[in-house]
Amino acid sequence: MKGGDVYDCIDVNAQPSLNHPKLKDHKIQMQPSSFPIWLDTESEFPHSWWEVQPYTIDCPIGTVPVLCNNRSGNIIAHNIDGVSSIGLQTETEAAGIRYYDDVYGARAIINVYEPRVNKDSKDLSAAWVQINNGKGEHTDTIGAGLEVNPSFSGDTFVRFHISWTNGLYKKSCIDHSCPGFVQVDHKFGLGARIEHVSVYGGPQYAMGLYIFKDPKSKNWWVGYGKENTPFGYWPSELFTFINHKGDFVFWGGFVQGPTASSNAPQMGSGHFASEGFGRAAYIRNAQILNENNTYVTPEDNIKVDHRMSNSTLFTIDQFEVDTPGMSIYYGGPGSVV
């Protein structure tokens, strides 16, 4: 048990993900065939912050931790452009950076906050990195980040989640809620609470996050931290539109759910972006992975867009482009008084 959660240690070759019909003959890839090239990733960030990670789970080597907590049967499709969720009528508000072109991965450092979300609502609030490919409802998505999602986790703690959507079958999943995502790390718990959360006007915590497509296996890997630790992947067999590359990336915050616009939860720190460091949430070192397997900062302004969907609820500020990547402050109180 860690952070009040109970995990089962499941044999890596018997994990729930392998029950997916497209993974019947899938051979687990225990580590990437190669890692992306990281260039100029050390940022001269003029503020003090501490790296944080989810609680580690003590499972034996050869097993993976799977969270036992009850889960909701209704999974919201994490789509920044507001494509309807699977089985639910949803509203979406977003604030952050968008990139429109071919991509093979994305990375960022995410400021860790715990936005207020009504425990009885079916809304969620996330700090997120997402890659898409497709059109309209037929869009494949993969994403990862920090999320307060009471209807899924049963509480209002910020937790680390991954999600994906199969645009062809219009099916969305979070963590191990349905088969598909293959985990290989025996200490990383999907859905785990975060060790430390930033305090408004006080200590600031952040977490590194990256997603990349393995050029050999074509699987989409996800990892975290300064050590760039990969903990699992989405097999390319799961998808129709994103199995070769993505064509859209989002870095920032979003809220989603039946009342995410009409009775919006907080985003980020719960304060507007203009308040800056220590008071507003940030994304920094945001980069894309190019066809040469190298993380780079986009230079074409035509392909980059930074905006918010509703400035009365959430804002952005101080968007900057530097060698280590793009950065932005984002968030707001939503409808929370």
Side-chain angles (χ1 to χ4, degrees):
M1 178 181 292
K2 281 292 180 74
D5 296 317
V6 178
Y7 283 82
D8 281 337
C9 297
I10 307 295
D11 187 297
V12 67
N13 292 302
Q15 59 183 290
S17 61
L18 300 178
N19 292 328
H20 195 288
K22 290 190 176 182
L23 302 182
K24 183 178 180 181
D25 298 317
H26 182 79
K27 183 178 180 180
I28 293 180
Q29 181 183 3
M30 292 304 295
Q31 61 183 11
S33 62
S34 62
F35 283 87
I37 300 169
W38 308 70
L39 300 176
D40 301 315
T41 57
E42 288 299 321
S43 170
E44 296 182 2
F45 196 54
H47 304 289
S48 297
W49 62 279
W50 290 268
E51 184 183 28
V52 72
Q53 64 183 30
Y55 285 106
T56 55
I57 314 300
D58 298 321
C59 281
I61 294 175
T63 68
V64 294
V66 176
L67 189 59
C68 297
N69 294 20
N70 291 331
R71 290 294 186 247
S72 165
N74 294 319
I75 304 300
I76 292 178
H78 290 47
N79 195 295
I80 308 307
D81 287 326
V83 174
S84 295
S85 68
I86 309 306
L88 288 176
Q89 184 64 38
T90 66
E91 302 171 349
T92 303
E93 302 291 351
I97 306 169
R98 302 164 191 245
Y99 177 80
Y100 302 88
D101 202 0
D102 292 349
V103 293
Y104 301 84
R107 67 177 293 265
I109 294 175
I110 301 176
N111 197 189
V112 180
Y113 271 98
E114 195 165 70
R116 192 183 308 171
V117 181
N118 188 329
K119 187 176 182 180
D120 297 324
S121 80
K122 295 186 181 299
D123 297 334
L124 64 87
S125 181
W128 208 248
V129 177
Q130 181 163 307
I131 301 175
N132 295 2
N133 200 340
K135 294 183 181 298
E137 291 188 353
H138 297 292
T139 299
D140 288 342
T141 75
I142 54 175
L146 310 174
E147 189 173 289
V148 177
N149 188 346
S151 66
F152 183 76
S153 63
D155 57 41
T156 56
F157 296 121
V158 62
R159 296 173 177 272
F160 186 94
H161 292 294
I162 59 97
S163 75
W164 72 101
T165 300
N166 182 304
L168 184 64
Y169 297 103
K170 302 180 183 178
K171 182 176 179 58
S172 292
C173 301
I174 299 176
D175 300 343
H176 294 298
S177 64
C178 56
F181 183 82
V182 178
Q183 187 164 336
V184 297
D185 192 295
H186 67 101
K187 292 185 177 181
F188 191 91
L190 285 172
R193 292 176 58 185
I194 309 301
E195 288 179 330
H196 301 285
V197 176
S198 299
V199 177
Y200 177 80
Q204 297 298 298
Y205 298 94
M207 180 176 180
L209 172 66
Y210 68 98
I211 300 171
F212 71 95
K213 187 171 187 61
D214 188 313
K216 186 175 180 180
S217 70
K218 309 304 180 185
N219 298 325
W220 288 93
W221 282 86
V222 58
Y224 70 100
K226 287 184 178 179
E227 301 301 321
N228 305 323
T229 305
F231 60 83
Y233 61 90
W234 295 277
S236 62
E237 300 99 305
L238 294 177
F239 305 107
T240 302
F241 308 107
I242 205 173
N243 52 351
H244 296 299
K245 61 185 176 182
D247 66 1
F248 169 86
V249 184
F250 173 83
W251 303 264
F254 74 92
V255 297
Q256 197 167 54
T259 60
S261 300
S262 54
N263 189 24
Q266 292 180 345
M267 180 192 295
S269 69
H271 292 259
F272 287 120
S274 59
E275 295 193 33
F277 183 82
R279 292 172 171 80
Y282 65 78
I283 296 282
R284 69 184 187 90
N285 287 29
Q287 293 185 312
I288 60 165
L289 188 68
N290 65 17
E291 67 276 11
N292 298 318
N293 204 33
T294 302
Y295 279 111
V296 296
T297 302
E299 297 180 351
D300 190 340
N301 292 334
I302 297 177
K303 298 177 181 178
V304 177
D305 180 22
H306 55 285
R307 57 189 165 97
M308 58 278 185
S309 56
N310 187 337
S311 60
T312 63
L313 300 174
F314 313 108
T315 60
I316 57 173
D317 200 13
Q318 299 183 48
F319 171 71
E320 296 181 359
V321 180
D322 203 347
T323 303
M326 302 175 290
S327 62
I328 199 168
Y329 287 93
Y330 72 92
S335 303
V336 178
V337 178

